[in-house]
């Protein structure tokens, strides 16, 4: 069972890293937000218990939010909030 859990964490990290690559690419980051990548990374963040995977998920969301055009869809889905 311990090996299965480790394998699952490795698979989760690989998925998160692939989504991070999309979120870090200026040509694909908007697609990440509007075509399901953001939803997938949020789901992964809530399902994993692996700290490394959570860190990658946070990087994905931070990277996507750093692009002004992505902030509105992220706020509409309540992935990020404004403090006004």
């Amino acid at each position: 069972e311990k090996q299965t859990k480790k394998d699952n964490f490795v698979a989760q990290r690989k998925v998160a890293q692939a989504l991070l690559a999309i979120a870090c690419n200026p040509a694909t980051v908007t697609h990440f937000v509007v075509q399901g990548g953001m939803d997938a990374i949020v789901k992964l963040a809530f399902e994993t218990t692996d700290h490394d995977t959570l860190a990658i998920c946070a990087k994905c969301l931070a990277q996507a939010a750093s692009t002004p055009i992505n902030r509105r869809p992220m706020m509409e889905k309540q992935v990020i909030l404004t403090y006004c």
Side-chain angles (χ1 to χ4, degrees):
E1 181 183 329
K2 194 167 192 144
Q3 184 63 32
T4 302
K5 194 171 188 176
K6 182 180 176 186
D7 291 343
N8 191 37
F9 286 161
V10 169
Q12 288 176 344
R13 287 181 203 140
K14 286 182 180 182
V15 169
Q17 288 169 338
L19 290 168
L20 179 60
I22 295 168
C24 288
N25 183 334
T28 59
V29 67
T30 299
H31 300 293
F32 168 82
V33 172
V34 298
Q35 294 186 353
M38 179 182 64
D39 296 332
I41 208 72
V42 169
K43 183 177 187 224
L44 180 58
F46 278 103
E47 290 179 353
T48 191
T49 56
D50 178 53
H51 296 286
D52 292 333
T53 302
L54 282 171
I56 299 167
C57 291
K59 288 177 188 178
C60 280
L61 295 173
Q63 183 63 37
S66 71
T67 306
I69 196 168
N70 294 329
R71 290 186 196 131
R72 181 167 303 280
M74 293 179 81
M75 286 186 287
E76 288 171 356
K77 290 190 175 193
Q78 297 182 346
V79 174
I80 60 172
L81 303 173
T82 58
Y83 293 99
C84 297

